[in-house]
Amino acid sequence: MRRPNILLTGTPGVGKSTLGKELASRTGLTYISVGDLAKEELYEGFDEEYECPILDEDRVIDELEDKMREGGVIVDYHGCDFFPEHWFHIVFVLRTDNSFLYDRLESRGYKGKKLQDNIQCEIFQTLYEEAMLSYRKEIVHQLPSNTPEDLERNLDQIVQWIEQWTKDNN
Ligand code: DAT
């Protein structure tokens, strides 16, 4: 059975992993956090300023290529311009209002420049623009991700989309 690949992207803290893990448990698709891959093994150094590992993008692509060809993968990452365009059938950019995002990042321990830069990233809709430049515009969708009600609505909509895609492609 063919199953779609989904990209969840957006600024850190917008709710990608919360949505991705719950989607995986509701649909049986496989959830992959590229940020976790970076932390665990696929890094090529450490960014002292932002206190995070630097992702080895080429190795991520090599590592995931076979799985993506099989289909049925939900990829979560706060970047999207280096993945092969053909990997994804749909791209969701999660969006969170500043007041919510600020609190989420602060309680994650972000402060100073790292906190400010991530808030700016959301204000300037950096990830939405990156997604629109990297994929066909018709497959890029923004999703509000402020409240638990937003999460539920997003889950329902994506589950429906997956069911429809699966019917249409098998
Ligand atoms: P990301 O994976 O984009 O970094 P996350 O899934 O870890 O974000 O979520 C960050 C925090 O926000 C976490 O404490 C869960 C919470 N959260 C996620 N989606 C939410 C929503 N729709 N409403 C309220 N809180 C949400």
Side-chain angles (χ1 to χ4, degrees), residues 3-17:
R3 293 182 308 166
N5 292 325
I6 296 171
L7 175 62
L8 301 179
T9 189
T11 308
V14 293
K16 302 179 294 297
S17 76

Side-chain angles (χ1 to χ4, degrees), residues 14 43 45 99 110 120 137 159:
V14 293
Y43 55 84
S99 50
Y110 285 22
Q120 276 206 3
K137 291 183 178 49
V159 168

